Amino acid sequence: MAALWAMPAAAQQTQGQASALVLEPMSLTNIEQLDFGSIIPSGTIGYVTVAASGAVTTSGGVIAASGDARPARFAGQGSANRVIIKTGSSQIFLSGPGAQMRVDDFEIGALTGLSQLGNGNNYRITDANGIVGFAVGGRLRVNANQAEGDYSGSFSVTFNYQ
């Protein structure tokens, strides 16, 4: 009868490779807040939009009563030539003496040291020192006959290495 057990081959050894890429931790600082300025509501729902470029538009009978509206501005630093992805708030609410007002349609623009990749939320850090800057605009929904007073809220912008 033939042997049913095969003889093991001689042990073999090989080398594998290991590597690591150390990146500069991302840092972001809010330089200016998103400000929709002084507005006068109407008897119907209206909107105030502050673009990342600084352009201000209104609709629905809302009147921009001052020229002090402006986008938020951020500055930061990361590793040069790395791709990052933006996440953050999709909508927030401003609270004050009257009904809350919704802010949505956040947009990033006025890029410094960053280039957008496609139409999504991906960006490449293009500054050789990794220094970045950008503005954030948004759209405020003003309720009909909104109560007078100061309203505020906060939103988040997060960049992560991809």
Side-chain angles (χ1 to χ4, degrees):
M1 181 167 224
L4 296 176
W5 302 97
M7 295 297 290
Q12 302 245 340
Q13 182 177 5
T14 187
Q15 297 292 319
Q17 298 292 319
S19 64
L21 173 62
V22 178
L23 300 173
E24 168 120 13
M26 284 293 301
S27 67
L28 290 176
T29 301
N30 184 214
I31 306 299
E32 283 187 347
Q33 68 178 351
L34 174 58
D35 191 341
F36 291 96
S38 299
I39 54 177
I40 301 170
S42 70
T44 60
I45 294 171
Y47 295 89
V48 177
T49 301
V50 176
S53 67
V56 179
T57 57
T58 62
S59 64
V62 172
I63 298 170
S66 70
D68 56 357
R70 67 178 179 271
R73 298 207 183 279
F74 293 84
Q77 188 169 15
S79 291
N81 205 33
R82 301 308 304 175
V83 174
I84 53 179
I85 185 166
K86 183 219 49 113
T87 60
S89 302
S90 61
Q91 73 175 10
I92 63 164
F93 292 90
L94 302 186
S95 298
Q100 290 186 328
M101 294 185 288
R102 183 183 71 223
V103 178
D104 58 14
D105 286 352
F106 290 101
E107 70 162 345
I108 290 183
L111 304 175
T112 302
L114 287 170
S115 63
Q116 187 172 14
L117 303 174
N119 294 326
N121 290 321
N122 295 326
Y123 297 83
R124 180 178 303 283
I125 300 174
T126 56
D127 182 82
N129 296 315
I131 297 171
V132 300
F134 57 93
V136 176
R139 179 180 70 168
L140 173 68
R141 180 184 187 267
V142 181
N143 300 307
N145 303 310
Q146 185 71 43
E148 178 182 1
D150 288 330
Y151 292 79
S152 63
S154 61
F155 66 95
S156 65
V157 176
T158 305
F159 278 123
N160 292 306
Y161 290 111
Q162 195 175 44

